[in-house]
Amino acid sequence: MSQIGVSKAIESLHDIFIHPLTREEKEVEKRWMDEHLGFHSLWREGWVMYDSTIVVIYQRPGMDGNAYYTHKGNYGLNAQVNTPFISQFL
């Protein structure tokens, strides 16, 4: 699969995984954080951000390929989760 094909495949899943939470869903996540991580309101109206990871791709992309070269000597995409609702992931 070409880099363009991979990008289109990832983009086609956007609306399945990326959507705004309702107020009720946000409150459930905030309560989970308070109960399990003990932050107790210090972060309640903010965001939780995870360190990123590299998703290795099969070969050097044809367009701007050098931009995808990683410090580990392969080509990859940087993926980072920025979310206020992490209880679904832990």
Side-chain angles (χ1 to χ4, degrees):
M1 183 179 276
S2 71
Q3 180 62 34
I4 293 172
V6 170
S7 296
K8 285 185 178 183
I10 292 171
E11 186 177 329
S12 72
L13 299 173
H14 178 275
D15 292 342
I16 295 171
F17 294 100
I18 308 298
H19 57 85
L21 295 177
T22 65
R23 260 195 193 128
E24 293 78 21
E25 290 171 322
K26 287 180 185 179
E27 190 55 38
V28 166
E29 299 301 331
K30 290 176 181 184
R31 277 196 310 271
W32 189 94
M33 291 286 290
D34 284 344
E35 292 169 9
H36 290 86
L37 301 179
F39 289 165
H40 302 292
S41 301
L42 293 175
W43 62 277
R44 265 188 152 306
E45 302 307 320
W47 287 79
V48 174
M49 297 194 183
Y50 285 83
D51 193 10
S52 61
T53 189
I54 300 293
V55 178
V56 176
I57 54 180
Y58 174 71
Q59 65 186 26
R60 181 184 185 272
M63 185 173 182
D64 299 322
N66 289 339
Y68 296 90
Y69 193 74
T70 72
H71 70 282
K72 292 187 176 181
N74 51 33
Y75 295 93
L77 299 170
N78 187 314
Q80 182 172 357
V81 176
N82 300 321
T83 176
F85 50 96
I86 67 164
S87 62
Q88 297 172 17
F89 300 107
L90 299 178

CSV table of all heavy atoms in Angstrom, one decimal, residues 31 54 63 76-77 85 89:
chain,number,residue,atom,x,y,z
A,31,ARG,N,-14.7,12.0,36.8
A,31,ARG,CA,-14.8,11.2,38.0
A,31,ARG,C,-13.9,10.0,38.1
A,31,ARG,O,-13.3,9.7,39.1
A,31,ARG,CB,-16.3,10.7,38.2
A,31,ARG,CG,-17.2,11.8,38.8
A,31,ARG,CD,-18.5,11.2,39.3
A,31,ARG,NE,-19.2,10.3,38.3
A,31,ARG,CZ,-20.0,10.8,37.4
A,31,ARG,NH1,-20.4,12.0,37.3
A,31,ARG,NH2,-20.6,9.9,36.6
A,54,ILE,N,6.2,6.2,17.8
A,54,ILE,CA,6.4,6.2,16.3
A,54,ILE,C,5.8,4.9,15.8
A,54,ILE,O,6.0,3.8,16.3
A,54,ILE,CB,7.9,6.1,16.0
A,54,ILE,CG1,8.6,7.4,16.5
A,54,ILE,CG2,8.2,6.0,14.5
A,54,ILE,CD1,8.2,8.7,15.9
A,63,MET,N,7.0,11.5,-1.2
A,63,MET,CA,6.9,13.0,-1.0
A,63,MET,C,7.5,13.4,0.4
A,63,MET,O,7.0,12.9,1.4
A,63,MET,CB,5.5,13.5,-1.2
A,63,MET,CG,5.3,14.9,-1.2
A,63,MET,SD,3.6,15.3,-1.6
A,63,MET,CE,3.6,17.1,-1.6
A,76,GLY,N,8.7,6.5,9.8
A,76,GLY,CA,7.5,6.3,10.6
A,76,GLY,C,6.7,7.6,10.8
A,76,GLY,O,7.1,8.7,10.4
A,77,LEU,N,5.5,7.4,11.3
A,77,LEU,CA,4.6,8.5,11.6
A,77,LEU,C,4.5,8.6,13.1
A,77,LEU,O,4.5,7.6,13.8
A,77,LEU,CB,3.2,8.2,11.1
A,77,LEU,CG,3.1,8.0,9.6
A,77,LEU,CD1,1.7,7.4,9.2
A,77,LEU,CD2,3.3,9.3,8.9
A,85,PHE,N,-10.5,11.9,27.9
A,85,PHE,CA,-11.2,10.7,28.3
A,85,PHE,C,-10.3,9.5,28.3
A,85,PHE,O,-10.4,8.6,27.4
A,85,PHE,CB,-12.4,10.5,27.5
A,85,PHE,CG,-12.2,10.6,26.0
A,85,PHE,CD1,-12.1,9.5,25.2
A,85,PHE,CD2,-12.2,11.8,25.4
A,85,PHE,CE1,-11.9,9.6,23.9
A,85,PHE,CE2,-12.0,11.9,24.0
A,85,PHE,CZ,-11.9,10.8,23.3
A,89,PHE,N,-8.8,3.8,27.9
A,89,PHE,CA,-7.5,3.3,27.4
A,89,PHE,C,-6.8,2.6,28.5
A,89,PHE,O,-5.9,1.8,28.2
A,89,PHE,CB,-6.7,4.4,26.8
A,89,PHE,CG,-7.3,5.1,25.7
A,89,PHE,CD1,-7.8,6.4,25.8
A,89,PHE,CD2,-7.4,4.5,24.4
A,89,PHE,CE1,-8.4,7.0,24.7
A,89,PHE,CE2,-8.0,5.1,23.4
A,89,PHE,CZ,-8.5,6.4,23.5
